[in-house]
Amino acid sequence: MEIKKVAVIGGGTMGNGIAHIFALYGYETILCESNEELYQKAISSITKNLDRQVTKNLIDAQKKESTLNNITKCIGAENLSSEVELYIEAIYENKDAKLNLFNKLKNIAKNNSIIATNTSSISITELSTAVNPENFIGMHFMNPVPVMKLVEIIRGYSTSDETFNTIRDLAIKLDKTPVEVFDYPGFISNRVLMPMINEAIFALMEGVASKEDIDTVMKLGMNHPMGPLTLADFIGLDVCLSIMEVLYNGYNDSKYRPCPLLKKMVAANKLGRKTGEGFYKY
C-alpha cells in the first residue's frame, strides 16, 4: 500500500517532530490535538524548527512554506478523517490512554489502514489488541525527529510482513534509517539507554561524584555527545521513570529497579527542561 495521507495524533515534542518530517517530505499530514491551544503550540514549534533549518541552509523559505501548507488541523481524534492510510499515535506514555485512543481509531480507520505507535517502551502486542493487530506496528522515532536518523520499527506478535515492509520503506523515503526490532520491553534503544541513565542517578544519589563530573566522564571518556544526567533532563525525568517501570515490570528483574532519587524528583515535579529544573536548572 502506498502511503499518501498521514495523521499524527499528539502534537508534543515527538508528535510535532513527526508531523514536521512527514510534511517536509511532501505527505499530506493531519496534525491532531485535543484543543486549539495545544495545536497552535505544536505549529509554533514546527515553525521555529523550520526557521532553524532555513538558517542552516538545509531548506529554503519556499520549502518552509510548502511544509506548513502540507499540515492540516484536527481537534479531537474522533474527528479524524477515514481517508488516511497511516495513523501515528504520539500521545503521552500511558498504556490506558493509548488503548482508549486506538479504540476510537478502530471505528474510524479503513480496514487496510495502518495504525502505528511512537511508544518508547510499551508492548506493541498489548497495544495491538484494540485494533486489527496485523495492521499495527511500532514506529519509534528519536528526538529531535527532524535531526535524528534512527527509527525503531517494532513488530507486534501478529504484525504482518506487508505492514512491516510498508513502514520500513516509508522510513527510508523520509531519509531515516529503519531498524527491525521485536516486541520486548524497552525495545533496543531504551533497554540499553535507560539503565545507563538510571545507574548514573544511583551514582549521584550515593555520592560517587557530582552531576557535572558524572556527565563529564561519559562525554570525554565514552565520547557521548551529552552526559546521562543532562540527557535525562532533556528526555524528561517522568518519561525516564515511566520507561524504567516498564522494564522493571516487564522483566521482573531487580537490575531495572528505578532509582529512589529519580522517583523522588518526579514526585517533586523536577522533571528537567520542561519544568525548568531537573538535575540542572534551566
Side-chain angles (χ1 to χ4, degrees):
M1 179 178 64
E2 184 179 2
I3 304 294
K4 294 181 179 178
K5 182 181 286 191
V6 177
V8 180
I9 304 105
T13 300
M14 296 303 297
N16 72 60
I18 295 168
H20 174 145
I21 202 70
F22 273 100
L24 182 67
Y25 278 81
Y27 290 88
E28 188 178 344
T29 306
I30 300 170
L31 179 55
C32 183
E33 257 296 2
S34 56
N35 60 57
E36 181 69 25
E37 182 182 357
L38 290 174
Y39 177 81
Q40 292 302 330
K41 184 178 179 182
I43 289 295
S44 176
S45 294
I46 293 170
T47 303
K48 288 176 184 176
N49 289 330
L50 286 167
D51 286 336
R52 191 174 292 116
Q53 289 180 307
V54 171
T55 301
K56 293 181 178 180
N57 294 316
L58 298 173
I59 62 172
D60 58 25
Q62 185 177 355
K63 187 65 173 177
K64 171 195 166 182
E65 290 307 314
S66 66
T67 298
L68 290 171
N69 288 336
N70 286 335
I71 300 173
T72 56
K73 177 172 66 174
C74 175
I75 303 300
E78 64 278 4
N79 296 315
L80 279 164
S81 167
S82 61
E83 300 302 313
V84 169
E85 289 89 19
L86 172 63
Y87 299 85
I88 303 176
E89 170 272 312
I91 66 171
Y92 58 99
E93 199 71 344
N94 178 279
K95 184 172 74 172
D96 290 338
K98 291 178 189 292
L99 288 171
N100 182 55
L101 172 61
F102 296 138
N103 278 317
K104 292 180 182 177
L105 292 181
K106 178 173 62 178
N107 298 320
I108 296 169
K110 293 180 292 187
N111 289 335
N112 63 339
S113 294
I114 295 173
I115 298 177
T117 174
N118 183 59
T119 182
S120 56
S121 60
I122 299 171
S123 167
I124 304 303
T125 301
E126 286 186 45
L127 293 177
S128 72
T129 57
V131 293
N132 178 358
E134 292 186 358
N135 295 351
F136 191 86
I137 198 163
M139 196 176 189
H140 180 212
F141 291 84
M142 302 295 122
N143 183 30
V145 178
V147 176
M148 301 294 280
K149 289 287 189 182
L150 179 68
V151 179
E152 282 186 309
I153 301 179
I154 308 105
R155 289 178 178 265
Y157 185 84
S158 301
T159 302
S160 71
D161 289 341
E162 181 183 0
T163 296
F164 173 81
N165 291 333
T166 298
I167 296 302
R168 179 198 59 199
D169 293 347
L170 178 61
I172 293 169
K173 289 175 182 176
L174 296 173
D175 197 26
K176 301 296 186 187
T177 301
V179 173
E180 180 179 10
V181 182
F182 291 90
D183 189 21
Y184 290 90
F187 316 134
I188 292 296
S189 57
N190 282 317
R191 183 173 178 178
V192 174
L193 174 65
M194 284 302 160
M196 181 196 75
I197 289 175
N198 196 53
E199 195 63 26
I201 301 170
F202 267 113
L204 178 65
M205 184 183 74
E206 293 165 6
V208 176
S210 69
K211 58 181 180 288
E212 293 87 358
D213 287 346
I214 291 169
D215 278 352
T216 298
V217 166
M218 297 306 292
K219 286 191 292 182
L220 301 186
M222 315 306 168
N223 204 27
H224 289 197
M226 68 175 75
L229 300 176
T230 301
L231 180 56
D233 278 355
F234 182 76
I235 294 168
L237 301 194
D238 53 336
V239 176
C240 293
L241 177 58
S242 174
I243 295 170
M244 286 307 303
E245 288 173 337
V246 167
L247 291 169
Y248 185 52
N249 294 328
Y251 289 109
N252 292 314
D253 191 327
S254 61
K255 72 180 180 180
Y256 296 114
R257 71 197 186 283
C259 178
L261 177 57
L262 174 60
K263 296 171 78 170
K264 184 185 295 185
M265 292 180 71
V266 171
N269 202 41
K270 307 296 185 183
L271 307 182
R273 285 180 178 269
K274 60 187 171 186
T275 58
E277 183 179 351
F279 293 107
Y280 299 90
K281 291 187 177 181
Y282 301 92

